[in-house]
Amino acid sequence: MPGLSQSLFHTCFEQARVMSADTIFGRILRGDIPCDEVYSDDHCLAFRDVAPQGPVHVLVIPRKPIESLREAADDDQALLGHLLLVAAKVAKLEGLEHWRTVINTGAEAGQTVFHLHVHVIGGRPLAWPPG
Ligand code: AMP
């Protein structure tokens, strides 16, 4: 039953995620692995996605290791606002007038890295709704 096996896959994926002590973005933040940085400040880092979905595809991540928007707390309010402002700053730095910001939350919504991140995608027409 395709629906069941997909659900089982996501359950296993979520368990593996919880058991994992770190994410690839944590390793990027620590400088353990390189990234193509486009912006950095005390609260966040922005770098190019390794598998770009458009001519511009940048990820904005908080330095604080929040797993996803689901785990964000009331005292993250300023940080979340900052991430969106940095996303807009990055889009403008990249010369975009139109772009899409995306935050996938949970495996079934497409989240594969469990460190909160904002996708900034642009440079081509973007269809709606997404898949
Ligand atoms: P999501 O699927 O919303 O969790 O997005 C994770 C994104 O991280 C994907 O678009 C991946 O292509 C991207 N990604 C994974 N590893 C790296 C990496 N080492 N450097 C840059 N982007 C990455």
Side-chain angles (χ1 to χ4, degrees), residues 24-25 28 47-51 59 104 110-113 117 119:
I24 195 150
F25 292 173
I28 288 174
F47 54 92
R48 296 188 197 286
D49 197 294
V50 281
L59 302 170
N104 294 322
Q111 187 175 6
T112 58
V113 179
H117 50 282
H119 295 257

Side-chain angles (χ1 to χ4, degrees), residues 12-50:
C12 294
F13 193 88
E14 289 275 355
Q15 278 176 350
R17 167 182 68 78
V18 169
M19 286 159 59
S20 168
D22 200 3
T23 68
I24 195 150
F25 292 173
R27 296 174 65 200
I28 288 174
L29 283 167
R30 289 199 305 275
D32 293 345
I33 58 172
C35 71
D36 188 355
E37 179 181 319
V38 297
Y39 176 86
S40 175
D41 66 26
D42 288 347
H43 304 289
C44 69
L45 174 67
F47 54 92
R48 296 188 197 286
D49 197 294
V50 281

Side-chain angles (χ1 to χ4, degrees), residues 57-90:
H57 189 167
V58 173
L59 302 170
V60 183
I61 70 172
R63 293 189 181 278
K64 180 178 176 181
I66 302 169
E67 275 189 34
S68 78
L69 200 52
R70 192 169 49 210
E71 283 75 30
D74 286 351
D75 64 0
D76 293 319
Q77 182 170 332
L79 177 59
L80 294 178
H82 184 68
L83 293 177
L84 288 182
L85 290 173
V86 169
K89 184 187 297 253
V90 163

